[in-house]
Amino acid sequence: MALVALAAGSQAAPYNDFLKRQASGLNSAIVAAGKLYFGTATETFTLEDVEYATQVSNTADFGQLSPANSMKWQSVQPTQDTFTFDGGDAIADLAEANGQLLRCHTLVWYNQLPTWVSGGGFDNATLIEVMTNHITATVTQWKGKCYAWDVVNEAISDNGDGSFRSNVFLDTIGEAYIPIAFAAAAAADPDAKLYYNDYSIESDSPKATAALNIVKLVQSYGVKIDGIGLQAHFIVGSTPSTEAQVANMEAFAALGVEVGITELDIRTDTPVTASAQTQQAADYASTIDACMQVDACVGITLWDWTDKYSWVPGTFSGEGSALPWDEDLQKKEDVYDAMIAAIGGSTSGNVTASATATAAPTSSATSTVEVDPVTLVTSSTVSETSSSEAAPVTTAAPTTAPPSAPDSSFTTFTTLCTESANGTTYTTIHTHSAPIYSNSTMVGPIATGTGIIVPTTNGTIVAPVTTVPLPTSEPECEVEYVYV
C-alpha cells in the first residue's frame, strides 16, 4: 500500500486514542498467546454510558462478555411461567455484533431467586419440574449463542468444612439437584460448555476440594460437565500465589474439565494508596500468569472493567478500587501494564507521530532506505506479510522530514488506512513489529496478527468494529504511524 503520513487535524486524528487501545490489548495479547479470550462482565444500564459502551466493544481488550445480572432467575422469570429475556438479549446481541464470545450466567443460584421459588413450598418432584423448566426455557432462548453457561453457582457453604450450602434446591431435592440441572442444560443446548462456578476455590482448601467433588458428582451421574469457573474475587495482598493457583487449576484439569477465571477483581481499602496499587498490579499479574501456565485455563473475565460500576463498594464497606480502570474510566497504567506483561504482550505508553507528505509513486524496484534506527520513512510502498520474514521496502524520496519515535525503545508501530464511502469512513488498522534494521538500514517491517475495520461518521464509531486478515493485495490508502 502507498504509505502517506497524515497532517495534524486530518481525518485520522479522532482515532488516535482508539488506535492506542487496539495496538496491544488484553484480549488480542491473550488470544495471540493461545487462549480463547479476555473478557468482562457488563450490564444493560451501564451500556447507556456511551464512553463505557465504546470500551466494552473494544475487542482488543475484551473478546468475551458476561451478563452480570440479566440472565439470572430473578431477571428472567420473576413470576412463574412469565419470562423476560430483553436484558439478556441486549448483551447477547452486542456480543454477536462485536464478534465477542458470550459466557452466560447463571441458571441455578440461591441468590437473586424470586420468592415464588424460594418460598413456594414445592415438594421434591414439583421443584425439580420448576427448575428444569426454567433451565430449558432460558438455555433455549440463547441456544447457539453461549460459549458457556454457569449452570450451578455457589453451591458450597462458607463454613470451612466443604459442605453444601443450604438453599431451597438442596433442602428439597438434595445434592442431586446439581447433576439434574446440568442434565437439563445439556439437553437444551448440547454445544454449550457447562460450568460449575464459585468463589474461594482458587487454591487448595476444603471448599476447593468440595468443588472437585461436585465435578465428580456430576460425572458419576453420566452427565456432561465441561468446566469449572474460578470467580477470583480477591483482596490486595491476599491473592493466592501463582504456584498455588496453578496447582489448583491442574487438579481440576486432571478430572477432564477446562478452567475459566470468571469474575476477577482485586479489591483494597479506599482511598487506595500507591503501595496498594503496586501490590494490586502484582496480584493481577500473578493470577493471569497462573492461567497462562495451565493449558486447561481457557480465558479470563473481569467482573466489569471499571471501578465506576464495580459491585465491590456496595458490598464491602470501605473497600473498592478493584479493577484495572478507575471511576473516570481511565486505565491504571501500572496495573494494566502488569497484566499485559503477564500475558506476554506489549505494554502501553503509546506515542503518536505524524507528518505531512505526498503520496509516493509505486515502484517495482526493491531498495533499502538509509534511516536512523528510531525514524520511519513517511513515503514508501510496503508489502505487508503475515510471515516472519521481513517484507521488502520500495521507496520514493519523502517530501518532508519523516516522523521520529521519541526514543529507541519502541517495539511496534501501527498503520492506519482510511477509505470513505457514502459518508462513512472505514479505517483499517494493522499492527506491525518494529522496523527491521541491517547496519542502520531499514529493510522492512513485519506485519502481525489481524487488522480491524472501524466504521465512523464525523469521528464517531457508527457500527461494530470488525476484524480482517492481513491483506493479500495492497490498496492505496492514507496512513498514520503510532509508536507503541
Side-chain angles (χ1 to χ4, degrees):
M1 68 181 74
L3 300 186
V4 184
L6 300 178
S10 66
Q11 179 68 43
Y15 307 106
N16 284 346
D17 289 341
F18 184 82
L19 187 58
K20 293 175 188 178
R21 293 197 300 270
Q22 295 294 336
S24 57
L26 296 166
N27 183 60
S28 58
I30 208 167
V31 170
K35 301 301 183 182
L36 290 182
Y37 61 84
F38 197 104
T40 182
T42 190
E43 203 35 76
T44 52
F45 79 93
T46 61
L47 294 172
E48 297 172 5
D49 181 333
V50 174
E51 186 177 358
Y52 171 94
T54 299
Q55 174 61 13
V56 164
S57 295
N58 174 9
T59 55
D61 276 327
F62 306 126
Q64 171 268 320
L65 299 181
S66 293
N69 295 297
S70 292
M71 293 184 182
K72 291 174 179 173
W73 199 317
Q74 178 67 61
S75 299
V76 168
Q77 195 186 179
T79 58
Q80 190 166 12
D81 297 326
T82 300
F83 289 85
T84 303
F85 297 121
D86 292 351
D89 282 343
I91 295 171
D93 291 347
L94 178 65
E96 184 175 16
N98 291 337
Q100 295 163 309
L101 292 176
L102 183 67
R103 288 198 81 263
C104 295
H105 175 83
T106 178
L107 295 169
V108 180
W109 188 31
Y110 74 93
N111 206 346
Q112 295 188 39
L113 189 65
T115 55
W116 72 264
V117 180
S118 60
F122 299 117
D123 62 20
N124 180 302
T126 306
L127 186 57
I128 290 174
E129 182 180 4
V130 165
M131 183 182 73
T132 56
N133 284 347
H134 174 79
I135 292 170
T136 300
T138 304
V139 174
T140 300
Q141 173 66 19
W142 293 294
K143 182 178 181 179
K145 294 186 176 182
C146 301
Y147 165 75
W149 266 106
D150 291 331
V151 177
V152 176
N153 197 51
E154 300 176 3
I156 305 167
S157 74
D158 292 320
N159 64 12
D161 63 1
S163 60
F164 285 112
R165 183 187 299 274
S166 175
N167 61 51
V168 66
F169 303 107
L170 179 75
D171 297 345
T172 305
I173 302 170
E175 66 180 26
Y177 86 89
I178 298 174
I180 291 170
F182 275 86
D189 188 351
D191 295 328
K193 300 284 189 179
L194 306 183
Y195 274 61
Y196 175 72
N197 191 57
D198 214 329
Y199 61 90
S200 297
I201 60 169
E202 300 84 7
S203 59
D204 184 37
S205 67
K207 193 168 183 178
T209 300
L212 288 164
N213 289 334
I214 284 177
V215 175
K216 296 174 183 177
L217 171 67
V218 176
Q219 291 173 336
S220 74
Y221 275 71
V223 173
K224 162 181 149 91
I225 179 170
D226 301 294
I228 193 79
L230 309 177
Q231 291 184 14
H233 293 298
F234 292 142
I235 301 171
V236 167
S238 298
T239 298
S241 68
T242 300
E243 294 75 15
Q245 293 184 65
V246 166
N248 190 62
M249 291 179 192
E250 295 286 12
F252 285 108
L255 296 179
V257 296
E258 66 185 40
V259 177
I261 297 174
T262 55
E263 303 183 20
L264 178 62
D265 53 28
I266 306 179
R267 66 186 186 267
T268 188
D269 293 338
T270 53
V272 63
T273 63
S275 61
Q277 188 161 305
T278 297
Q279 182 62 51
Q280 183 183 59
D283 290 344
Y284 266 109
S286 177
T287 297
I288 292 170
D289 186 24
C291 181
M292 300 309 296
Q293 291 187 41
V294 178
D295 289 343
C297 185
V298 298
I300 299 170
T301 305
L302 298 173
W303 208 237
D304 222 316
W305 53 276
T306 167
D307 294 335
K308 183 175 183 178
Y309 297 115
S310 172
W311 70 292
V312 169
T315 305
F316 301 98
S317 178
E319 296 181 77
S321 193
L323 295 161
W325 282 259
D326 65 21
E327 292 183 356
D328 296 321
L329 310 185
Q330 298 302 302
K331 189 185 297 179
K332 301 172 186 176
E333 297 287 356
D334 54 343
V335 176
Y336 185 94
D337 284 356
M339 296 167 72
I340 288 284
I343 294 169
S346 300
T347 59
S348 59
N350 307 346
V351 181
T352 60
S354 296
T356 303
T358 58
T362 59
S363 169
S364 59
T366 300
S367 63
T368 57
V369 184
E370 295 291 334
V371 292
D372 182 85
V374 296
T375 305
L376 288 179
V377 176
T378 60
S379 215
S380 62
T381 301
V382 177
S383 174
E384 291 185 296
T385 174
S386 59
S387 75
S388 60
E389 296 182 1
V393 178
T394 304
T395 68
T399 59
T400 61
S404 296
D407 55 48
S408 60
S409 65
F410 75 94
T411 58
T412 65
F413 70 93
T414 298
T415 56
L416 182 151
C417 166
T418 61
E419 298 176 272
S420 296
N422 301 321
T424 298
T425 298
Y426 295 89
T427 303
T428 304
I429 301 167
H430 286 102
T431 300
H432 305 255
S433 73
I436 307 302
Y437 292 93
S438 175
N439 297 322
S440 297
T441 298
M442 186 176 76
V443 297
I446 300 173
T448 59
T450 58
I452 60 169
I453 296 179
V454 186
T456 62
T457 299
N458 297 323
T460 300
I461 297 174
V462 294
V465 174
T466 57
T467 59
V468 292
L470 289 168
T472 56
S473 61
E474 276 51 74
E476 296 292 314
C477 65
E478 296 177 307
V479 166
E480 181 179 33
Y481 292 108
V482 175
Y483 295 96
V484 183

